[in-house]
Amino acid sequence: MKQCYFADYTIGTDAYNNIKDVCSPLGKRALIVGGETALSKSETKLKSAMQDFDIVDTVIYGKECYKKRISELYEIYKDSCVDFVMGVGGGKAIDTAKCLADMLGVKVVTVPTIASTCAASSALSVVYTENHTFEGFWYFKSPAYHTFIDTEIIACAPDKYFRAGIGDTLAKFYEVEFSARGREKTYSDEMGLAISRMCNTPLIESAIEALEDCKNNTPSEKLGEVALIILVSTGMVSMLINPEFNGALAHALFYGLTEIEGFEENFLHGDVIGYTLAVQLMLDSKEEEAIKIGNLISKMGVEATLSQRGIEVTFKNLEKVLESALKDPDMLVIPYKITKEMIFDAIIKMEKTFGGKKI
């Protein structure tokens, strides 16, 4: 038996006005979990929207979504008769809130304050160790009960997060299509593939204008459309598609690049994914698509080559990166055999195509 739950959402500059109607059936006692900055930015609007609820507590999630902190929060609030948890902030804050709600056995509602990941609408959390390294996924039966997207707050957040959200989202269509190519697909897979196309043409056509609106703190209709693609469309794809089809070389190469000391600290995940996606397209003999993506991320102010990131592009220097990428779980289901040499050749093509372009 297969069950499928879809993500419900409210979006707009007055999105929080819908909290009372949507959340009242869950009960009165809410526990708010969020990031420090996110809570401060949304405090005024949330306080007004939550005046008919009993706020058990408003707690800072920490610095990472990791099991020890989630367990600590569970021990603190397990006897507090919490009716629902509200997760406020970016991906790590919301992922923490989802895990805590799961442990408490209550629903979670999400309030993303930046549009950088699909955490607000996906049915999983990314869990890290206390040393900030990836530990694994925490899966849930269903996504958040509801997601409230205030476009004014999204527009006033640092535009680098919106830009990174665009970069990460661009990969969803191309990676899913690549991994699922030639495979038998179910109804759910086909629906996931259909929705993933929202992460292609509509996103590419609107990305630059929406990013400019974010830079200007303008909660425009275009910004709202792109925010929905980042926050909701990707989450729906991840819930519908066979998990084996959910990633490919773009993400595998990103994780390989984290073998370079200081890489992950210096570059946002989504910014790098925009580049590694172009590498995947080069390798897959889709040069026109690779150039289209490379041009787009360049216009957004993202490096389109490794040399622009100060990395020496030689096979010897990148061999460990390439080996790590090939071992990544995202490379388990791909349409043909890929070698270190093939990835390196695609990297070189990006260097030759974009190496002379200034960011």
Side-chain angles (χ1 to χ4, degrees):
M1 181 176 69
K2 182 177 177 62
Q3 289 180 299
C4 186
Y5 300 87
F6 290 95
D8 293 338
Y9 66 86
T10 302
I11 186 168
T13 55
D14 57 351
Y16 296 175
N17 292 347
N18 204 30
I19 287 177
K20 179 181 177 181
D21 288 342
V22 172
C23 296
S24 290
L26 299 177
K28 285 283 187 180
R29 294 176 59 77
L31 172 62
I32 300 176
V33 179
E36 186 172 3
T37 301
L39 288 169
S40 68
K41 297 296 183 183
S42 59
E43 180 180 21
T44 302
K45 285 190 170 185
L46 275 180
K47 190 174 182 180
S48 175
M50 298 292 289
Q51 59 185 348
D52 291 319
F53 295 89
D54 297 326
I55 307 302
V56 174
D57 202 356
T58 299
V59 60
I60 306 299
Y61 81 99
K63 297 293 184 182
E64 195 67 84
C65 176
Y66 63 97
K67 290 180 181 177
K68 182 180 178 182
R69 177 59 174 163
I70 296 163
S71 296
E72 288 174 352
L73 292 173
Y74 171 74
E75 289 299 323
I76 294 170
Y77 298 108
K78 64 181 181 180
D79 298 319
S80 298
C81 299
V82 173
D83 290 321
F84 66 95
V85 175
M86 174 177 283
V88 182
K92 293 180 179 181
I94 288 174
D95 277 351
T96 300
K98 291 192 295 186
C99 292
L100 178 59
D102 189 51
M103 290 190 72
L104 292 171
V106 299
K107 298 290 187 180
V108 63
V109 297
T110 56
V111 183
T113 56
I114 57 175
S116 60
T117 73
C118 64
S121 63
S122 63
L124 62 84
S125 286
V126 184
V127 180
Y128 291 82
T129 68
E130 293 178 59
N131 296 322
H132 308 289
T133 58
F134 173 73
E135 181 173 332
F137 296 110
W138 189 319
Y139 292 97
F140 312 108
K141 287 182 64 177
S142 61
Y145 182 76
H146 202 90
T147 296
F148 299 93
I149 306 165
D150 186 306
T151 49
E152 184 175 43
I153 290 175
I154 297 291
C156 291
D159 61 89
K160 65 179 181 179
Y161 297 120
F162 194 78
R163 183 190 68 202
I166 292 170
D168 198 23
T169 301
L170 284 169
K172 182 58 74 174
F173 166 73
Y174 291 105
E175 286 194 295
V176 167
E177 185 280 328
F178 186 72
S179 293
R181 189 184 302 165
R183 304 275 174 174
E184 184 176 343
K185 292 177 276 291
T186 64
Y187 171 86
S188 183
D189 293 330
E190 294 288 5
M191 184 179 286
L193 276 164
I195 295 173
S196 77
R197 292 181 178 88
M198 288 295 295
C199 306
N200 187 15
T201 303
L203 179 59
I204 292 169
E205 290 177 348
S206 301
I208 297 298
E209 183 180 341
L211 181 58
E212 282 303 309
D213 289 338
C214 189
K215 289 178 179 179
N216 294 322
N217 306 136
T218 303
S220 66
E221 182 177 348
K222 192 68 69 176
L223 179 140
E225 290 174 357
V226 170
L228 282 174
I229 295 172
I230 296 169
L231 294 165
V232 177
S233 296
T234 51
M236 293 181 72
V237 175
S238 69
M239 286 185 286
L240 286 164
I241 204 78
N242 183 329
E244 291 183 334
F245 302 158
N246 221 6
L249 179 59
H251 275 80
L253 182 55
F254 165 80
Y255 291 119
L257 287 165
T258 62
E259 296 284 344
I260 299 172
E261 186 176 354
F263 185 88
E264 199 164 9
E265 290 75 21
N266 291 325
F267 303 105
L268 291 173
H269 173 88
D271 284 347
V272 180
I273 292 297
Y275 160 72
T276 56
L277 169 61
V279 172
Q280 175 184 305
L281 291 166
M282 279 290 191
L283 183 146
D284 198 32
S285 301
K286 298 184 183 297
E287 188 169 337
E288 287 187 11
E289 291 290 296
I291 292 172
K292 180 168 66 176
I293 297 299
N295 283 332
L296 176 60
I297 64 174
S298 294
K299 288 178 183 177
M300 293 197 300
V302 177
E303 299 87 350
T305 68
L306 291 182
S307 58
Q308 289 170 351
R309 289 182 163 87
I311 296 169
E312 181 186 0
V313 183
T314 64
F315 189 85
K316 181 179 180 181
N317 187 51
L318 295 176
E319 188 167 14
K320 186 177 180 181
V321 168
L322 303 174
E323 289 175 348
S324 178
L326 288 174
K327 293 176 183 177
D328 190 85
D330 284 323
M331 296 294 284
L332 290 176
V333 179
I334 50 178
Y336 50 81
K337 180 178 174 60
I338 293 176
T339 65
K340 292 184 293 184
E341 290 76 15
M342 290 167 68
I343 303 174
F344 184 72
D345 286 347
I347 290 172
I348 292 297
K349 287 180 181 178
M350 286 297 294
E351 294 291 325
K352 290 179 177 178
T353 304
F354 292 97
K357 295 191 178 184
K358 294 184 178 179
I359 301 296

